[in-house]
Amino acid sequence: MSDSMNNESVGVKEEFTELDWITLKNDIGSEQMIHQETAGEKFQRKFKENPLVPIGCGLTAGALCFGLMSFSRGNRRTSQNMMRLRIAAQGFTIAALMVGIVKTSLK
C-alpha cells in the first residue's frame, strides 16, 4: 500500500516540475510588460537599418511581374529583358543583404 502511495506522490511531483515553466512565464509577464513589435513596426525598423534590401525586393518583384505580363502578351524581347533585370535585381538584393550582415557584425 505504501509503495503505491509513493509512486503516486512521485508522479504528482513530476507533474508539478513539468508545469513549473507556466507559472514562471506568468510571473515574468506580470512583473514587466514586454512590448510585442507589430509587423509594420518591424518593417520600419528593418527598412531604417538597411533600406536597400526592401528596395531590391521591390525591383525584383516588379521586374518579374512586368516580365510575366510581357510574356503573356507575346512580347518576347521585353519579357527576356525583364527576366535579365530580375536576375540583376536579385543580385543587388543579395549584395545588400551581405553588406547589412557585415555592417551588423562590426557593431
Side-chain angles (χ1 to χ4, degrees):
M1 179 90 175
S2 65
D3 287 335
S4 65
M5 292 179 75
N6 286 339
N7 289 341
E8 289 176 12
S9 64
V10 169
V12 171
K13 288 180 185 177
E14 288 177 5
E15 183 179 332
F16 284 128
T17 57
E18 289 177 10
L19 300 178
D20 282 342
W21 66 272
I22 295 173
T23 57
L24 179 62
K25 184 178 177 183
N26 290 338
D27 291 343
I28 290 172
S30 64
E31 290 178 12
Q32 60 184 1
M33 293 300 293
I34 299 172
H35 173 68
Q36 291 292 329
E37 190 174 40
T38 64
E41 292 171 341
K42 184 175 183 179
F43 179 78
Q44 288 177 349
R45 180 177 54 86
K46 293 288 189 177
F47 189 81
K48 287 177 185 175
E49 289 175 7
N50 193 358
L52 297 178
V53 173
I55 291 170
C57 290
L59 286 173
T60 302
L64 176 65
C65 291
F66 191 69
L68 289 175
M69 283 182 357
S70 296
F71 181 75
S72 69
R73 291 181 183 157
N75 191 348
R76 291 182 179 175
R77 181 92 172 134
T78 304
S79 174
Q80 190 63 240
N81 286 336
M82 287 297 110
M83 290 302 120
R84 290 179 182 152
L85 179 64
R86 178 187 59 88
I87 297 298
Q90 283 177 328
F92 174 79
T93 305
I94 297 297
L97 279 169
M98 292 303 183
V99 167
I101 290 170
V102 168
K103 193 169 109 176
T104 302
S105 67
L106 292 177
K107 283 184 181 180

